[in-house]
Amino acid sequence: MNDRVLAQFATGPAYEEMVAVTHNKHAAFAAKYNADFITVREAKSATWQRGRPRNINFRKLEIMVEMVEKYQKVLYLDADTVSVRDDFDIFAAAGYGIAFCAVWENQRIVPTHINAGICLINSSPEVKEFLHEWNKSSGGETYKGVDTWHDQAIMNRMMEDRKWRDLLTILPNRFNWCADTQEARDPFIRAFHGKARRIEQIRGLCK
């Protein structure tokens, strides 16, 4: 087993199709940089709230908690993302704690926030504590009036606390390029968060 892992999560036909399309590209990237590659396919969350499974969006937090117990560095990619370049070791950008990209532009579409679709983790006791606290959240939270961000809304609120913000690295948008909200030159990772016809665009990048 390597000390680093690229992990993805898919639930349902649409997301399973996405990770199937990107599988070979991501497996090759992981192999080049001596990382394991793990795709989790499950239909429900492993943890429960009030006698029923949590919203499936929280499964990725459970995966992160599991991965940092086994690996030093974890690169988590949402199913609708594609690593489009292999000439840079993305794991090298892990920094001290936990790294995300942020949306600063186009407030007409979404308010400024940290995007959790791509997460780069360098494991430590403090980072493990943060992930456990993030994972303990029950869901239903909002952030800046947006009530559909689930785990992402919780993380944004947590990062307003200095205790957790000291672990935060904001990466350039090259690590999470998304049309209209997170565009950047020469991206390492392309993302299609919530975009229509995204499977067609993902297929185009994986030819």
Side-chain angles (χ1 to χ4, degrees):
M1 186 177 79
N2 295 299
D3 70 346
R4 46 176 62 184
V5 63
L6 193 167
Q8 291 193 280
F9 165 56
T11 179
Y15 293 102
E16 290 191 14
E17 183 179 11
M18 292 177 200
V19 296
V21 170
T22 61
H23 180 275
N24 290 346
K25 182 178 280 289
H26 290 165
F29 177 87
K32 179 172 182 177
Y33 292 104
N34 300 312
D36 291 343
F37 177 44
I38 296 174
T39 302
V40 178
R41 295 176 174 85
E42 291 176 358
K44 63 182 180 180
S45 175
T47 56
W48 293 56
Q49 295 286 344
R50 302 180 183 91
R52 63 182 62 187
R54 269 197 313 184
N55 185 295
I56 191 59
N57 290 281
F58 288 86
R59 179 65 183 118
K60 77 181 194 182
L61 304 186
E62 298 162 7
I63 293 167
M64 290 181 195
V65 168
E66 295 163 11
M67 293 297 106
V68 294
E69 295 298 334
K70 302 176 183 177
Y71 298 94
Q72 180 60 40
K73 292 185 177 181
V74 179
L75 172 59
Y76 172 84
L77 302 180
D78 270 356
D80 57 358
T81 63
V82 186
S83 174
V84 293
R85 287 175 52 183
D86 67 355
D87 59 344
F88 176 77
D89 179 3
I90 294 173
F91 291 94
Y96 169 71
I98 187 163
F100 303 94
C101 292
V103 176
W104 304 107
E105 55 196 272
N106 212 332
Q107 299 299 296
R108 292 178 296 103
I109 298 176
V110 288
T112 298
H113 66 279
I114 304 167
N115 184 281
I118 292 170
C119 181
L120 188 55
I121 304 166
N122 195 354
S123 185
S124 69
E126 295 82 5
V127 168
K128 290 179 181 179
E129 181 185 9
F130 168 80
L131 290 173
H132 278 284
E133 287 297 315
W134 189 11
N135 186 44
K136 281 166 54 179
S137 305
S138 62
E141 285 79 357
T142 64
Y143 185 70
K144 294 188 176 179
V146 179
D147 63 359
T148 57
W149 288 355
H150 303 293
D151 58 284
Q152 183 170 281
I154 297 163
M155 179 271 291
N156 273 266
R157 286 228 302 267
M158 289 178 68
M159 286 304 180
E160 293 175 351
D161 186 333
R162 183 177 296 171
K163 174 182 179 180
W164 305 124
R165 195 165 60 247
D166 285 348
L167 302 174
L168 175 65
T169 296
I170 296 295
L171 295 170
N173 284 345
R174 301 173 73 185
F175 292 86
N176 192 357
W177 187 103
C178 190
D180 301 324
T181 58
Q182 290 169 257
E183 295 184 1
R185 73 195 89 182
D186 300 325
F188 299 124
I189 299 170
R190 290 280 302 273
F192 300 91
H193 308 308
K195 300 297 182 182
R197 299 187 300 278
R198 51 189 164 179
I199 186 60
E200 299 169 15
Q201 298 176 75
I202 290 171
R203 286 187 185 280
L205 291 172
C206 293
K207 289 181 178 178

